[in-house]
Structures are given as structure tokens and as C-alpha cells.
Coordinates of all heavy atoms in Angstrom, one line a residue:
M1 N 13.5 20.8 12.4 CA 13.3 21.1 13.8 C 14.4 22.1 14.1 O 15.6 22.0 13.7 CB 13.5 19.9 14.6 CG 13.4 20.2 16.1 SD 13.5 18.7 17.1 CE 11.8 18.2 17.1
V2 N 14.0 23.1 14.9 CA 15.0 24.1 15.3 C 15.6 23.7 16.7 O 14.8 23.3 17.6 CB 14.3 25.5 15.4 CG1 15.2 26.6 16.0 CG2 13.7 25.9 14.0
A3 N 16.8 23.9 16.9 CA 17.5 23.6 18.1 C 16.8 24.3 19.3 O 16.5 25.5 19.2 CB 19.0 23.9 18.1
R4 N 16.7 23.6 20.4 CA 16.0 24.2 21.5 C 16.5 25.5 22.0 O 15.7 26.4 22.3 CB 16.0 23.2 22.7 CG 15.2 23.5 23.8 CD 15.1 22.3 24.8 NE 14.7 21.1 24.0 CZ 13.8 20.3 24.4 NH1 13.2 20.5 25.5 NH2 13.4 19.3 23.7
D5 N 17.8 25.7 22.0 CA 18.4 26.9 22.5 C 18.2 28.1 21.6 O 18.5 29.3 22.1 CB 19.8 26.7 22.9 CG 20.7 26.3 21.7 OD1 20.2 25.7 20.8 OD2 21.9 26.7 21.8
V6 N 17.7 28.0 20.4 CA 17.5 29.1 19.5 C 16.0 29.2 19.0 O 15.7 29.9 18.1 CB 18.5 29.1 18.3 CG1 19.9 29.4 18.8 CG2 18.4 27.9 17.5
R7 N 15.1 28.5 19.7 CA 13.7 28.5 19.3 C 13.2 29.9 19.7 O 13.7 30.6 20.5 CB 12.9 27.4 20.0 CG 13.3 26.1 19.5 CD 12.4 25.0 20.1 NE 12.9 23.7 19.6 CZ 12.7 22.5 20.2 NH1 11.9 22.5 21.2 NH2 13.1 21.4 19.7
N8 N 12.1 30.3 19.1 CA 11.4 31.5 19.3 C 12.2 32.7 18.8 O 12.0 33.8 19.3 CB 10.9 31.7 20.8 CG 10.0 30.6 21.2 OD1 9.0 30.3 20.5 ND2 10.3 30.0 22.3
A9 N 13.0 32.5 17.8 CA 13.8 33.6 17.2 C 13.5 33.8 15.8 O 14.1 34.5 15.1 CB 15.3 33.3 17.4
G10 N 12.4 33.1 15.3 CA 12.0 33.3 13.9 C 12.6 32.4 12.9 O 12.3 32.4 11.7
I11 N 13.4 31.4 13.4 CA 14.1 30.5 12.5 C 13.1 29.6 11.9 O 13.2 29.3 10.6 CB 15.2 29.8 13.3 CG1 16.3 30.8 13.7 CG2 15.8 28.7 12.4 CD1 17.3 30.2 14.7
G12 N 12.2 29.0 12.6 CA 11.2 28.0 12.1 C 10.3 28.7 11.1 O 10.1 28.1 10.0
T13 N 9.8 29.9 11.4 CA 8.9 30.5 10.4 C 9.7 30.9 9.2 O 9.2 30.9 8.1 CB 8.2 31.8 11.0 OG1 9.2 32.6 11.6 CG2 7.2 31.4 12.1
G14 N 11.0 31.3 9.3 CA 11.8 31.6 8.2 C 12.0 30.4 7.3 O 12.0 30.5 6.1
L15 N 12.2 29.2 7.9 CA 12.4 27.9 7.2 C 11.1 27.6 6.4 O 11.1 27.2 5.2 CB 12.7 26.8 8.1 CG 14.1 26.8 8.7 CD1 14.2 25.7 9.8 CD2 15.1 26.6 7.6
V16 N 9.9 27.8 7.0 CA 8.7 27.6 6.3 C 8.5 28.6 5.2 O 8.1 28.2 4.1 CB 7.5 27.6 7.3 CG1 6.1 27.6 6.6 CG2 7.6 26.5 8.3
A17 N 8.8 29.8 5.4 CA 8.7 30.9 4.4 C 9.6 30.5 3.2 O 9.2 30.7 2.0 CB 9.1 32.2 4.9
T18 N 10.8 30.0 3.5 CA 11.7 29.6 2.4 C 11.1 28.4 1.6 O 11.2 28.4 0.4 CB 13.1 29.2 3.0 OG1 13.6 30.3 3.6 CG2 14.0 28.7 1.9
A19 N 10.5 27.4 2.3 CA 9.8 26.3 1.6 C 8.7 26.8 0.8 O 8.5 26.3 -0.3 CB 9.3 25.3 2.7
V20 N 7.9 27.8 1.3 CA 6.8 28.3 0.5 C 7.3 29.0 -0.8 O 6.8 28.7 -1.9 CB 6.0 29.3 1.3 CG1 5.0 30.1 0.5 CG2 5.2 28.6 2.4
R21 N 8.4 29.8 -0.7 CA 8.9 30.5 -1.9 C 9.4 29.4 -2.9 O 9.2 29.5 -4.1 CB 10.0 31.4 -1.5 CG 9.5 32.7 -0.9 CD 10.6 33.8 -0.8 NE 11.8 33.3 0.0 CZ 11.9 33.4 1.4 NH1 10.9 33.9 2.1 NH2 12.9 33.0 2.0
G22 N 10.1 28.4 -2.4 CA 10.7 27.4 -3.2 C 9.6 26.6 -3.9 O 9.7 26.3 -5.1
A23 N 8.5 26.2 -3.2 CA 7.4 25.5 -3.8 C 6.7 26.3 -4.9 O 6.4 25.8 -5.9 CB 6.4 25.1 -2.7
R24 N 6.5 27.6 -4.6 CA 5.9 28.5 -5.6 C 6.8 28.6 -6.8 O 6.3 28.5 -8.0 CB 5.7 29.9 -5.0 CG 4.4 30.0 -4.1 CD 4.1 31.4 -3.8 NE 2.9 31.5 -2.9 CZ 2.9 32.1 -1.8 NH1 3.9 32.8 -1.3 NH2 1.7 32.1 -1.1
A25 N 8.1 28.8 -6.6 CA 9.0 28.9 -7.8 C 9.0 27.6 -8.6 O 9.2 27.7 -9.8 CB 10.4 29.2 -7.2
A26 N 8.8 26.5 -7.9 CA 8.8 25.2 -8.7 C 7.4 24.9 -9.3 O 7.3 23.9 -10.0 CB 9.1 24.1 -7.7
G27 N 6.5 25.8 -9.1 CA 5.2 25.6 -9.8 C 4.2 24.8 -9.0 O 3.2 24.4 -9.5
C28 N 4.5 24.5 -7.7 CA 3.6 23.7 -6.9 C 2.3 24.5 -6.6 O 2.4 25.7 -6.4 CB 4.3 23.3 -5.6 SG 5.8 22.2 -5.9
A29 N 1.2 23.7 -6.5 CA 0.0 24.4 -6.2 C -0.3 24.4 -4.7 O -1.1 25.2 -4.2 CB -1.2 23.7 -7.0
W30 N 0.3 23.4 -4.0 CA 0.0 23.3 -2.6 C 1.2 22.9 -1.8 O 2.1 22.3 -2.3 CB -1.0 22.1 -2.3 CG -2.4 22.4 -2.9 CD1 -2.8 21.9 -4.2 CD2 -3.4 23.1 -2.4 NE1 -4.1 22.3 -4.4 CE2 -4.5 23.1 -3.3 CE3 -3.6 23.8 -1.2 CZ2 -5.7 23.8 -3.1 CZ3 -4.8 24.5 -1.0 CH2 -5.8 24.4 -2.0
L31 N 1.3 23.3 -0.5 CA 2.3 22.9 0.4 C 1.6 22.3 1.6 O 0.8 23.0 2.2 CB 3.2 24.1 0.8 CG 4.3 23.7 1.8 CD1 5.3 22.8 1.1 CD2 5.1 25.0 2.2
H32 N 1.8 21.0 1.9 CA 1.2 20.3 2.9 C 2.1 20.1 4.1 O 3.3 19.8 3.9 CB 0.7 19.0 2.4 CG 0.1 18.0 3.4 ND1 -1.2 18.1 3.8 CD2 0.7 17.0 4.1 CE1 -1.4 17.2 4.8 NE2 -0.2 16.5 4.9
V33 N 1.6 20.1 5.3 CA 2.4 19.8 6.5 C 1.6 18.9 7.4 O 0.4 19.0 7.5 CB 2.8 21.1 7.2 CG1 1.7 21.8 7.7 CG2 3.8 20.8 8.3
D34 N 2.3 17.9 8.0 CA 1.7 17.1 9.1 C 2.5 17.5 10.3 O 3.7 17.8 10.3 CB 2.0 15.6 8.8 CG 1.1 15.1 7.7 OD1 0.0 15.4 7.6 OD2 1.7 14.2 7.0
F35 N 1.8 17.6 11.5 CA 2.5 18.0 12.7 C 1.8 17.4 13.9 O 0.6 17.0 13.8 CB 2.5 19.6 12.8 CG 1.1 20.2 12.7 CD1 0.3 20.3 13.8 CD2 0.6 20.6 11.4 CE1 -1.0 20.9 13.6 CE2 -0.6 21.2 11.3 CZ -1.4 21.3 12.4
E36 N 2.5 17.4 15.0 CA 1.9 17.0 16.3 C 1.0 18.1 16.8 O 1.2 19.3 16.5 CB 3.1 16.7 17.3 CG 4.0 15.6 16.9 CD 5.1 15.4 17.8 OE1 5.2 16.1 18.9 OE2 6.0 14.6 17.4
E37 N 0.0 17.7 17.6 CA -1.0 18.6 18.1 C -0.3 19.8 18.8 O -0.8 21.0 18.7 CB -1.9 17.9 19.0 CG -3.0 18.8 19.6 CD -4.0 19.3 18.6 OE1 -4.2 18.7 17.5 OE2 -4.5 20.4 18.8
R38 N 0.8 19.6 19.5 CA 1.4 20.7 20.3 C 2.0 21.8 19.4 O 2.2 22.9 19.9 CB 2.5 20.1 21.2 CG 3.6 19.5 20.5 CD 4.6 18.8 21.4 NE 5.7 18.2 20.7 CZ 6.8 18.9 20.2 NH1 6.9 20.2 20.4 NH2 7.7 18.2 19.5
L39 N 2.1 21.5 18.1 CA 2.7 22.5 17.2 C 1.6 23.2 16.3 O 1.9 24.0 15.4 CB 3.7 21.8 16.2 CG 4.9 21.2 16.9 CD1 5.7 20.4 16.0 CD2 5.7 22.3 17.6
R40 N 0.3 22.9 16.7 CA -0.8 23.5 15.9 C -0.7 25.0 15.8 O -0.8 25.6 14.7 CB -2.1 23.1 16.6 CG -3.4 23.7 16.0 CD -4.6 23.2 16.7 NE -4.9 21.8 16.4 CZ -5.4 21.4 15.2 NH1 -5.9 22.2 14.3 NH2 -5.6 20.1 15.0
S41 N -0.4 25.7 16.9 CA -0.4 27.2 16.9 C 0.8 27.7 16.0 O 0.6 28.7 15.3 CB -0.2 27.7 18.3 OG -0.1 29.1 18.3
F42 N 1.9 27.0 16.0 CA 3.0 27.4 15.2 C 2.6 27.4 13.7 O 2.8 28.4 13.0 CB 4.2 26.5 15.4 CG 5.3 26.7 14.4 CD1 6.1 27.9 14.5 CD2 5.6 25.8 13.4 CE1 7.1 28.1 13.5 CE2 6.6 26.0 12.4 CZ 7.3 27.2 12.5
Y43 N 2.1 26.2 13.2 CA 1.7 26.1 11.8 C 0.6 27.0 11.4 O 0.6 27.6 10.3 CB 1.5 24.6 11.5 CG 2.8 23.9 11.4 CD1 3.2 23.0 12.4 CD2 3.7 24.1 10.4 CE1 4.4 22.4 12.4 CE2 4.9 23.5 10.3 CZ 5.3 22.6 11.3 OH 6.5 22.0 11.3
F44 N -0.5 27.0 12.2 CA -1.7 27.8 11.8 C -1.5 29.3 12.1 O -1.8 30.1 11.2 CB -2.9 27.3 12.5 CG -3.4 25.9 12.1 CD1 -4.1 25.1 12.9 CD2 -3.1 25.5 10.8 CE1 -4.5 23.8 12.5 CE2 -3.5 24.2 10.4 CZ -4.2 23.4 11.2
D45 N -1.0 29.6 13.3 CA -1.0 31.1 13.6 C 0.3 31.7 13.1 O 0.2 32.8 12.5 CB -1.1 31.2 15.1 CG -2.4 30.7 15.7 OD1 -3.4 30.6 15.0 OD2 -2.4 30.3 16.9
A46 N 1.5 31.1 13.3 CA 2.7 31.8 13.0 C 3.1 31.6 11.5 O 3.6 32.6 10.9 CB 3.9 31.2 13.8
C47 N 2.7 30.5 10.9 CA 3.1 30.3 9.5 C 2.0 30.5 8.5 O 2.3 30.5 7.3 CB 3.6 28.8 9.4 SG 5.1 28.6 10.3
G48 N 0.7 30.5 8.9 CA -0.3 30.8 8.0 C -1.0 29.6 7.3 O -1.7 29.8 6.3
F49 N -0.6 28.4 7.7 CA -1.3 27.3 7.1 C -2.8 27.3 7.5 O -3.1 28.0 8.5 CB -0.7 25.9 7.7 CG 0.6 25.5 7.0 CD1 1.8 26.0 7.5 CD2 0.6 24.7 5.9 CE1 3.0 25.7 6.9 CE2 1.8 24.4 5.3 CZ 3.0 24.8 5.8
R50 N -3.7 26.8 6.7 CA -5.1 26.8 7.1 C -5.5 25.3 7.2 O -4.9 24.4 6.7 CB -5.9 27.5 6.0 CG -5.8 27.0 4.6 CD -6.6 27.9 3.7 NE -6.2 27.4 2.3 CZ -7.1 27.1 1.4 NH1 -8.4 27.2 1.7 NH2 -6.7 26.7 0.3
R51 N -6.6 25.2 8.0 CA -7.1 23.9 8.4 C -7.8 23.3 7.1 O -8.5 23.9 6.4 CB -8.1 24.0 9.5 CG -7.5 24.3 10.8 CD -8.5 24.8 11.8 NE -7.9 25.1 13.1 CZ -7.3 26.3 13.4 NH1 -7.1 27.2 12.4 NH2 -6.7 26.5 14.5
T52 N -7.5 22.0 6.9 CA -8.2 21.3 5.8 C -8.6 19.9 6.3 O -8.0 19.4 7.3 CB -7.2 21.1 4.6 OG1 -6.1 20.3 5.0 CG2 -6.7 22.4 4.1
E53 N -9.5 19.3 5.6 CA -9.8 17.9 5.8 C -8.9 17.1 4.9 O -8.7 17.5 3.7 CB -11.3 17.6 5.4 CG -12.2 18.4 6.3 CD -13.0 17.5 7.3 OE1 -12.8 16.3 7.2 OE2 -13.7 18.1 8.1
A54 N -8.3 16.0 5.3 CA -7.4 15.2 4.5 C -7.6 13.8 4.9 O -8.1 13.4 5.9 CB -6.0 15.7 4.7
G55 N -7.1 12.9 4.0 CA -7.1 11.5 4.3 C -5.7 11.0 3.9 O -4.9 11.6 3.2
L56 N -5.4 9.8 4.4 CA -4.1 9.2 4.2 C -4.2 7.7 4.2 O -5.0 7.1 4.9 CB -3.2 9.6 5.4 CG -1.8 9.1 5.4 CD1 -1.0 9.7 4.3 CD2 -1.1 9.4 6.7
I57 N -3.5 7.1 3.2 CA -3.4 5.6 3.2 C -1.9 5.3 3.2 O -1.1 5.8 2.5 CB -4.0 5.1 1.8 CG1 -5.5 5.3 1.7 CG2 -3.6 3.6 1.7 CD1 -6.1 4.9 0.4
A58 N -1.6 4.5 4.2 CA -0.2 4.0 4.3 C 0.1 3.0 3.3 O -0.6 2.0 3.1 CB 0.1 3.4 5.7
L59 N 1.1 3.2 2.4 CA 1.4 2.3 1.3 C 2.6 1.3 1.7 O 2.8 0.4 1.0 CB 1.8 3.1 0.1 CG 0.7 4.0 -0.4 CD1 1.2 4.8 -1.6 CD2 -0.5 3.3 -0.8
A60 N 3.3 1.6 2.7 CA 4.4 0.8 3.2 C 4.1 0.4 4.7 O 3.4 1.2 5.4 CB 5.7 1.5 3.1
P61 N 4.6 -0.7 5.1 CA 4.4 -1.0 6.6 C 4.9 0.1 7.5 O 5.9 0.7 7.1 CB 5.2 -2.3 6.7 CG 5.4 -2.8 5.3 CD 5.4 -1.7 4.4
E62 N 4.2 0.3 8.6 CA 4.7 1.3 9.5 C 5.9 0.8 10.2 O 6.0 -0.4 10.6 CB 3.6 1.6 10.6 CG 2.5 2.4 10.0 CD 1.5 2.9 11.1 OE1 2.0 3.0 12.3 OE2 0.4 3.1 10.8
P63 N 6.9 1.7 10.5 CA 8.1 1.2 11.2 C 7.7 0.8 12.7 O 6.7 1.4 13.2 CB 9.0 2.5 11.3 CG 8.4 3.5 10.3 CD 7.0 3.0 10.0
A64 N 8.4 0.0 13.2 CA 8.1 -0.5 14.6 C 8.1 0.7 15.5 O 9.0 1.6 15.5 CB 9.2 -1.5 15.1
G65 N 7.1 0.8 16.4 CA 7.0 1.9 17.4 C 6.4 3.2 16.8 O 6.4 4.2 17.5
A66 N 5.9 3.2 15.6 CA 5.3 4.4 14.9 C 4.0 4.8 15.5 O 3.6 5.9 15.4 CB 5.2 4.2 13.4
R67 N 3.3 3.9 16.1 CA 1.9 4.2 16.7 C 2.0 4.7 18.0 O 2.5 4.8 18.9 CB 1.0 3.0 16.6 CG 0.6 2.7 15.2 CD -0.4 1.6 15.2 NE -0.7 1.4 13.8 CZ -1.8 0.7 13.4 NH1 -2.6 0.3 14.3 NH2 -2.0 0.5 12.1

């Protein structure tokens, strides 16, 4: 998360770009992100993630207040 007072300065997209380069260098085939609905435009429009269908199974109990 980028500090509120420096948001919209390209820091978040730079962090994602660094993660992409690192994942590629490590030989990863995919980089997955989960996000809150309010961040949809950031991840899809600014960072270039694409929409996918996915599923999830929780393997550990959810922490209190997670829902």
C-alpha cells in the first residue's frame, strides 16, 4: 500500500512493475493479485492485469472479522 500523501505519483504502478520483473526473472509463469473492488481500475487499467475466472479454497480457518 502506498502512503496516502504520495498516492497518484506512480509509486504503486512502479511497485507492481518491479514485482512483474522479479517474477519473470524467477521463471514464474503467472502473477496473481487479489484486490478490493475499489482498486479494480488501478490493477486492470494502470497495471495491465487482465480479468480471469478463478476459484479459491480456504485451507486455514479465517481470522476473526475477515468476512
